[in-house]
Amino acid sequence: MSDFSVQGLDHIQLAMPAGGESEARAFYRDKLGLTEVEKPAVLAGRGGCWFTGTGVNLHLGVETPFAPARKAHPAFVVDDLRAAQKSLAGGEISELPGVRRFFTADPFGNRIEILQRN
């Protein structure tokens, strides 16, 4: 047994290629509705973007060479799965106990799960 306990999740980090900030904003801010937050000055020169939303903090960091996450992924909870599927040109909706979901990709090819709880 550990001498400490995990208290929560602070943020998710995904990789993106250098210079992809406009594409990141178009997807995460404009399509998913997350709010961009300013990166701390000490990190701003590295590129990338940070976003926040209800219950989620997402950091996109530049990785060179870049390789998208095709299996590991964040799962975002939405209030209208069909509307999200239409907006994001998402894949087929599938069901698991208690949730319906689909997968899509961000502009860089990172796998993204979108789900709605039943």
Side-chain angles (χ1 to χ4, degrees), residues 3-39:
D3 292 335
F4 66 92
S5 64
V6 174
Q7 300 294 299
L9 179 66
D10 183 74
H11 67 274
I12 300 163
Q13 173 137 350
L14 293 174
M16 61 178 269
E21 289 81 4
S22 292
E23 292 171 281
R25 289 180 185 105
F27 183 78
Y28 290 100
R29 183 190 64 203
D30 301 342
K31 287 196 176 262
L32 289 184
L34 299 177
T35 300
E36 185 171 4
V37 294
E38 189 173 336
K39 290 179 68 172

Side-chain angles (χ1 to χ4, degrees), residues 64-102:
T64 305
F66 169 73
R70 303 227 185 253
K71 184 70 173 172
H73 63 276
F76 296 107
V77 179
V78 298
D79 60 355
D80 188 332
L81 192 67
R82 291 268 182 221
Q85 181 190 37
K86 183 178 178 182
S87 176
L88 300 171
E92 182 178 326
I93 292 175
S94 62
E95 293 196 33
L96 293 174
V99 301
R100 297 176 357 188
R101 68 185 184 159
F102 69 87

